[in-house]
Amino acid sequence: SYRPWNYFETVSLWLGDEKIAEKDADSSSDWSEEDDNTCYTDDGSSKDYKMAFTGLSEVLEEGEEVNLYVAVTVKDNLDSEDETTDFTVCIPGDGIRTVDATGLSVYAPSSAVHEDFEMAGATDPTLKLSYDEDENEDRIIDVDDQNDTNNVEVLKFTLESENADTLITDLAVDITSGLSDISDAISRIKLYRGDTFVKTESVSTSSATSTTITFDDIDLTIEADTTEDFVIKADFKEITDSGDFTEGDYVAFDIDAADVTAEDSQGDSVSASGSAVGGSIYCYDAAIQVELVEKSASITFTPEDSGEYGQATYVIKFNVTAFDDDMYIITGASEADDSGSHSASTAGVWYDLIATTSESAIEGTLTESLSSNASEQTYSYKVPEGQTKEFTLTVVATASSADAFAKIGLEGIYWNTSDTTTGAVDYTYGLDEDWQTNEVFLDVF
């Protein structure tokens, strides 16, 4: 169609960056048809339609130069075949009337001027779902044994829309657990956009180790080339000593691309890419929380003569906080090797030596120690309820049969609710590459 009211909602007039007038343009009554070819020369196949802006009152000072613009707002429901239509906007000769200081009318331009423009389909938005692994790693949370524990952050993620706005209409969240019924642990989940609450959904009886909860009809717009932060929070039921929800049970949350239902400004579906995967969240009424303080690796001996071997010292410092009861960290440290197998009866803190070559030979040279500012008991260090104590793992390694790059990483921390190794719990949550020292070169002269 060549009729402008089928394409445009409004036509506006701008003086520089100021809009000085605007008129509706979506009806035939908003336009008057002109004789063809009155403004410019074409092949005679088009039609000309006119719109006039009257009653303007802007004042231009003597010597002032400004830019005058005509702008259109395009309808958002064009047929695809109309998206590449060519238009010309024209100001005929004497089409601009001004009044000078003496009250005389002055007209411009001396001859018609025009510009061509082409309609084009809007760029489809690209929607990306992503997350930060460090913000969503395995961890322990404090769940009360008498009352519900509400508003626990369980998953953080972002949604980014590129090229154009995207409307998020529905968002599904997948929940998995070792429980036979997830609703034994969680009563509801909540969606937040930044700090702003969006919606809550109940977790009904599922009789399954996995379920999907959908936030429907949320209608959230992610503006073009913008990234928005989102948080899922959960309300946990009280934990029990015996029953369906006990200490050590876990839940995990994730969102994949298919869980995001979105559309563009035309109402067409937009497919997301990426994912947001949360770690396993282990629930305890009383336990420990662990935080890395610092880590280092340094050469403490450099060989200079034949038969000498390089030596390195590795240090990992971490804090342990006890919640809801006194906690006990088993004393001693030991190397776990690649198998990751360890026992509280042998040591409380386990680490792994990681070397490029000659690893087994270097492991035979290791000496390690565990120290703390916590008070030492018979089998453990005591961390009083509500307090934080610092622990330091120190490991000395010596080169052996060949040169090697080597580092260490923390593997596990045994804790208990009393001064004994019996029944100790192995804390391994979030002890990933962030808990590994840098590599240093151990050389053989």
Side-chain angles (χ1 to χ4, degrees), residues 387-439:
Q387 294 189 24
T388 299
K389 297 295 182 181
E390 185 176 272
F391 290 77
T392 302
L393 169 66
T394 303
V395 178
V396 178
T398 305
S400 185
S401 55
D403 297 343
F405 284 95
K407 61 183 176 180
I408 68 165
L410 206 63
E411 290 282 312
I413 304 167
Y414 275 104
W415 61 275
N416 213 336
T417 56
S418 60
D419 181 29
T420 177
T421 60
T422 303
V425 180
D426 191 6
Y427 185 104
T428 59
Y429 318 119
L431 303 183
D432 52 18
E433 292 182 358
D434 291 339
W435 289 74
Q436 295 178 2
T437 67
N438 58 298
E439 286 184 327

Side-chain angles (χ1 to χ4, degrees), residues 30 45 69 158 250 312 394:
D30 298 324
S45 63
Y69 302 97
T158 62
Y250 78 91
T394 303

Side-chain angles (χ1 to χ4, degrees), residues 83 105 117 186 221 301 308 314 349:
E83 290 180 350
S105 295
F117 67 94
I186 300 173
T221 297
F301 178 75
E308 292 183 335
Y314 304 94
V349 172

Side-chain angles (χ1 to χ4, degrees), residues 7-26:
Y7 293 84
F8 307 125
E9 292 283 354
T10 63
V11 176
S12 55
L13 189 64
W14 296 71
L15 195 64
D17 58 1
E18 179 186 2
K19 182 166 67 175
I20 60 175
E22 184 175 59
K23 300 185 73 173
D24 291 336
D26 58 350

Side-chain angles (χ1 to χ4, degrees), residues 74-265:
V74 182
K75 290 187 173 183
D76 61 6
N77 58 350
L78 288 182
D79 295 333
S80 58
E81 61 266 25
D82 293 333
E83 290 180 350
T84 56
T85 304
D86 294 323
F87 282 91
T88 297
V89 59
C90 173
I91 298 177
D94 294 339
I96 301 175
R97 174 179 175 266
T98 64
V99 179
D100 68 13
T102 65
L104 296 176
S105 295
V106 180
Y107 293 89
S110 58
S111 60
V113 295
H114 66 271
E115 292 286 346
D116 299 327
F117 67 94
E118 178 183 347
M119 302 287 293
T123 304
D124 293 334
T126 299
L127 183 63
K128 183 180 180 182
L129 169 68
S130 60
Y131 71 107
D132 185 337
E133 291 185 6
D134 290 339
E135 291 182 338
N136 294 281
E137 59 190 6
D138 294 352
R139 61 193 184 277
I140 282 179
I141 63 170
D142 181 4
V143 178
D144 195 77
D145 63 347
Q146 300 294 326
N147 303 291
D148 291 351
T149 303
N150 297 329
N151 298 317
V152 178
E153 291 187 356
V154 292
L155 183 66
K156 292 184 176 182
F157 61 96
T158 62
L159 285 169
E160 178 184 10
S161 181
E162 296 182 346
N163 303 321
D165 294 355
T166 302
L167 178 68
I168 312 299
T169 58
D170 305 290
L171 180 70
V173 180
D174 303 317
I175 312 174
T176 58
S177 175
L179 295 164
S180 59
D181 189 335
I182 291 174
S183 64
D184 289 333
I186 300 173
S187 58
R188 63 188 64 85
I189 62 173
K190 305 167 186 177
L191 174 64
Y192 285 78
R193 183 182 192 171
D195 296 327
T196 303
F197 171 76
V198 176
K199 194 173 185 179
T200 185
E201 294 289 345
S202 297
V203 179
S204 59
T205 302
S206 62
S207 299
T209 59
S210 63
T211 190
T212 298
I213 306 298
T214 300
F215 297 100
D216 57 358
D217 300 325
I218 53 178
D219 293 341
L220 302 175
T221 297
I222 311 298
E223 294 184 354
D225 303 316
T226 299
T227 300
E228 296 274 2
D229 296 323
F230 290 86
V231 179
I232 302 294
K233 298 183 180 181
D235 291 350
F236 285 81
K237 297 179 179 179
E238 66 272 15
I239 208 164
T240 59
D241 292 332
S242 61
D244 296 322
F245 180 35
T246 61
E247 288 196 308
D249 285 334
Y250 78 91
V251 290
F253 297 76
D254 75 86
I255 301 171
D256 57 45
D259 290 327
V260 184
T261 304
E263 59 186 47
D264 61 17
S265 60

